[in-house]
Amino acid sequence: MENDNSTVVKEFILLGLTQSRDIQLLVFVLILIFYLIILPGNFLIILTIRSDPGLTAPLYFFLGNLAFLDASYSFIVAPRMLVDFVSEKKVISYRGCITQLFFLHFLGGGEGLLLVVMAFDRYIAICRPLHYSTVMNPRVCYALLLALWLGGFIHSIIQVALILRLPFCGPNQLDNFFCDVPQVIKLACTDTFVVELLMVFNSGLMTLLCFLGLLSSYAVILCHIRGSTPEGKSRALSTCTTHVIIILLMFGPAIFIYTRPFRALPADKVVSFFHTVIFPLMNPMIYTLRNQEVKTSMRRLLSRHVVC
């Protein structure tokens, strides 16, 4: 993946989240707790949805995929970050950096598109209930799933292709705890103005448009349910509120990172930490804690295994 004619740098030195040993220890413990408690919870969500015949609706199909995407996303940055906390030299190879960047945007882009698909599912369920079973049939659900994976791949491969065309001849210190576009692009030995604009267009504009579209769709749904029965209104509000929370957690940090020129700000590392490590583990749990059907099914699954 290296360009032999222009790339001299073979590895990047990661400066990390912070130089304070006390803060590093705190973050190490925090990540470890999240991994040991919440990550198994995500896999439990997937197992519950796969094993319960009552959770076959498209909403649960997409929720299971969200849990899978978030669990996979959490493996891109956090494990290496934990290792780096106890390592003297925090180094990542050029190939490793490009690979990390690819999967970061592949899974992140796929998750953003999955939230769009879930919003579409809720719109049809609430605003067009008589057409729901026809529109959201299994074939359509699988087609939408394939489309979001393909969309994430295209988004990511564009990022990687633009990075691979840049020459890197030094310095090689990345002021971050992982490889991402804003930090890597600044180390290129050439004028990156045009490439930065393309990156902002590919990541920032897409993120912003998805975010505004999602908020608009839920605003339409909320307007539609004003005339519903109290029970229906309460159920729809609970679902939509959960979705909006996840949208804010997912898109808020991404908009902060990718929709502005690539200039370092003091808050960048903290925002990136929550965006890449904490929030991906929390998203499916937030959905589950507000969904009575999934919680009931999880209790049944756990009680069966305890009895056995």
Side-chain angles (χ1 to χ4, degrees), residues 221-236:
I221 292 173
L222 291 175
C223 290
H224 183 83
I225 64 174
R226 283 188 301 178
S228 302
T229 62
E231 183 181 352
K233 185 184 296 185
S234 174
R235 187 181 180 89

mmCIF file of all heavy atoms in Angstrom, residues 221-236:
data_model
loop_
_atom_site.group_PDB
_atom_site.id
_atom_site.type_symbol
_atom_site.label_atom_id
_atom_site.label_comp_id
_atom_site.label_asym_id
_atom_site.label_seq_id
_atom_site.Cartn_x
_atom_site.Cartn_y
_atom_site.Cartn_z
ATOM 1 N N ILE A 221 -42.000 12.793 11.730
ATOM 2 C CA ILE A 221 -42.654 11.728 12.503
ATOM 3 C C ILE A 221 -43.354 12.294 13.733
ATOM 4 O O ILE A 221 -44.509 11.944 14.040
ATOM 5 C CB ILE A 221 -41.622 10.662 12.920
ATOM 6 C CG1 ILE A 221 -41.112 9.902 11.694
ATOM 7 C CG2 ILE A 221 -42.221 9.683 13.931
ATOM 8 C CD1 ILE A 221 -39.968 8.951 11.987
ATOM 9 N N LEU A 222 -42.681 13.200 14.448
ATOM 10 C CA LEU A 222 -43.272 13.781 15.658
ATOM 11 C C LEU A 222 -44.508 14.609 15.325
ATOM 12 O O LEU A 222 -45.486 14.609 16.088
ATOM 13 C CB LEU A 222 -42.226 14.645 16.377
ATOM 14 C CG LEU A 222 -41.064 13.867 17.010
ATOM 15 C CD1 LEU A 222 -40.025 14.829 17.590
ATOM 16 C CD2 LEU A 222 -41.568 12.919 18.098
ATOM 17 N N CYS A 223 -44.470 15.301 14.200
ATOM 18 C CA CYS A 223 -45.665 16.049 13.774
ATOM 19 C C CYS A 223 -46.816 15.098 13.433
ATOM 20 O O CYS A 223 -47.981 15.397 13.701
ATOM 21 C CB CYS A 223 -45.329 16.922 12.560
ATOM 22 S SG CYS A 223 -44.254 18.323 12.929
ATOM 23 N N HIS A 224 -46.473 13.963 12.853
ATOM 24 C CA HIS A 224 -47.499 13.006 12.427
ATOM 25 C C HIS A 224 -48.200 12.361 13.619
ATOM 26 O O HIS A 224 -49.401 12.047 13.528
ATOM 27 C CB HIS A 224 -46.850 11.922 11.553
ATOM 28 C CG HIS A 224 -47.836 10.923 11.013
ATOM 29 N ND1 HIS A 224 -48.583 11.155 9.877
ATOM 30 C CD2 HIS A 224 -48.206 9.683 11.466
ATOM 31 C CE1 HIS A 224 -49.355 10.110 9.646
ATOM 32 N NE2 HIS A 224 -49.149 9.203 10.589
ATOM 33 N N ILE A 225 -47.492 12.141 14.716
ATOM 34 C CA ILE A 225 -48.078 11.402 15.846
ATOM 35 C C ILE A 225 -48.866 12.300 16.792
ATOM 36 O O ILE A 225 -49.394 11.816 17.802
ATOM 37 C CB ILE A 225 -46.994 10.646 16.650
ATOM 38 C CG1 ILE A 225 -46.013 11.645 17.295
ATOM 39 C CG2 ILE A 225 -46.259 9.653 15.774
ATOM 40 C CD1 ILE A 225 -45.007 10.977 18.214
ATOM 41 N N ARG A 226 -48.967 13.580 16.494
ATOM 42 C CA ARG A 226 -49.705 14.471 17.401
ATOM 43 C C ARG A 226 -51.153 14.053 17.548
ATOM 44 O O ARG A 226 -51.759 14.225 18.608
ATOM 45 C CB ARG A 226 -49.622 15.913 16.892
ATOM 46 C CG ARG A 226 -48.289 16.580 17.170
ATOM 47 C CD ARG A 226 -48.330 18.046 16.822
ATOM 48 N NE ARG A 226 -48.675 18.250 15.407
ATOM 49 C CZ ARG A 226 -48.810 19.450 14.843
ATOM 50 N NH1 ARG A 226 -48.655 20.547 15.576
ATOM 51 N NH2 ARG A 226 -49.112 19.550 13.550
ATOM 52 N N GLY A 227 -51.722 13.490 16.485
ATOM 53 C CA GLY A 227 -53.127 13.082 16.549
ATOM 54 C C GLY A 227 -53.329 11.630 16.927
ATOM 55 O O GLY A 227 -54.459 11.122 16.868
ATOM 56 N N SER A 228 -52.281 10.940 17.324
ATOM 57 C CA SER A 228 -52.382 9.520 17.659
ATOM 58 C C SER A 228 -52.961 9.328 19.053
ATOM 59 O O SER A 228 -53.092 10.276 19.841
ATOM 60 C CB SER A 228 -51.000 8.857 17.588
ATOM 61 O OG SER A 228 -50.427 9.017 16.308
ATOM 62 N N THR A 229 -53.293 8.084 19.375
ATOM 63 C CA THR A 229 -53.784 7.750 20.711
ATOM 64 C C THR A 229 -52.648 7.931 21.718
ATOM 65 O O THR A 229 -51.470 7.862 21.352
ATOM 66 C CB THR A 229 -54.267 6.293 20.751
ATOM 67 O OG1 THR A 229 -53.153 5.430 20.452
ATOM 68 C CG2 THR A 229 -55.375 6.061 19.735
ATOM 69 N N PRO A 230 -52.976 8.161 22.996
ATOM 70 C CA PRO A 230 -51.918 8.349 24.003
ATOM 71 C C PRO A 230 -50.923 7.196 24.054
ATOM 72 O O PRO A 230 -49.713 7.409 24.177
ATOM 73 C CB PRO A 230 -52.706 8.456 25.318
ATOM 74 C CG PRO A 230 -54.043 8.973 24.905
ATOM 75 C CD PRO A 230 -54.313 8.383 23.560
ATOM 76 N N GLU A 231 -51.424 5.946 23.923
ATOM 77 C CA GLU A 231 -50.529 4.787 23.967
ATOM 78 C C GLU A 231 -49.605 4.759 22.756
ATOM 79 O O GLU A 231 -48.386 4.548 22.884
ATOM 80 C CB GLU A 231 -51.344 3.493 24.026
ATOM 81 C CG GLU A 231 -50.467 2.245 24.139
ATOM 82 C CD GLU A 231 -51.290 0.972 24.164
ATOM 83 O OE1 GLU A 231 -52.535 1.062 24.242
ATOM 84 O OE2 GLU A 231 -50.682 -0.118 24.091
ATOM 85 N N GLY A 232 -50.174 4.995 21.576
ATOM 86 C CA GLY A 232 -49.365 5.013 20.357
ATOM 87 C C GLY A 232 -48.373 6.150 20.361
ATOM 88 O O GLY A 232 -47.224 5.996 19.917
ATOM 89 N N LYS A 233 -48.819 7.303 20.862
ATOM 90 C CA LYS A 233 -47.928 8.469 20.920
ATOM 91 C C LYS A 233 -46.762 8.203 21.873
ATOM 92 O O LYS A 233 -45.611 8.535 21.562
ATOM 93 C CB LYS A 233 -48.717 9.699 21.396
ATOM 94 C CG LYS A 233 -47.912 10.988 21.363
ATOM 95 C CD LYS A 233 -48.728 12.160 21.935
ATOM 96 C CE LYS A 233 -49.934 12.458 21.084
ATOM 97 N NZ LYS A 233 -50.659 13.659 21.563
ATOM 98 N N SER A 234 -47.049 7.593 23.035
ATOM 99 C CA SER A 234 -45.991 7.301 24.006
ATOM 100 C C SER A 234 -44.967 6.324 23.429
ATOM 101 O O SER A 234 -43.754 6.511 23.600
ATOM 102 C CB SER A 234 -46.611 6.716 25.278
ATOM 103 O OG SER A 234 -45.614 6.307 26.177
ATOM 104 N N ARG A 235 -45.438 5.297 22.742
ATOM 105 C CA ARG A 235 -44.550 4.293 22.162
ATOM 106 C C ARG A 235 -43.663 4.918 21.078
ATOM 107 O O ARG A 235 -42.455 4.674 21.035
ATOM 108 C CB ARG A 235 -45.378 3.148 21.583
ATOM 109 C CG ARG A 235 -44.564 1.960 21.108
ATOM 110 C CD ARG A 235 -45.491 0.901 20.521
ATOM 111 N NE ARG A 235 -44.762 -0.245 20.048
ATOM 112 C CZ ARG A 235 -44.460 -1.293 20.784
ATOM 113 N NH1 ARG A 235 -44.822 -1.329 22.059
ATOM 114 N NH2 ARG A 235 -43.783 -2.310 20.264
ATOM 115 N N ALA A 236 -44.285 5.721 20.209
ATOM 116 C CA ALA A 236 -43.533 6.354 19.125
ATOM 117 C C ALA A 236 -42.521 7.361 19.669
ATOM 118 O O ALA A 236 -41.389 7.441 19.188
ATOM 119 C CB ALA A 236 -44.499 7.046 18.157
#
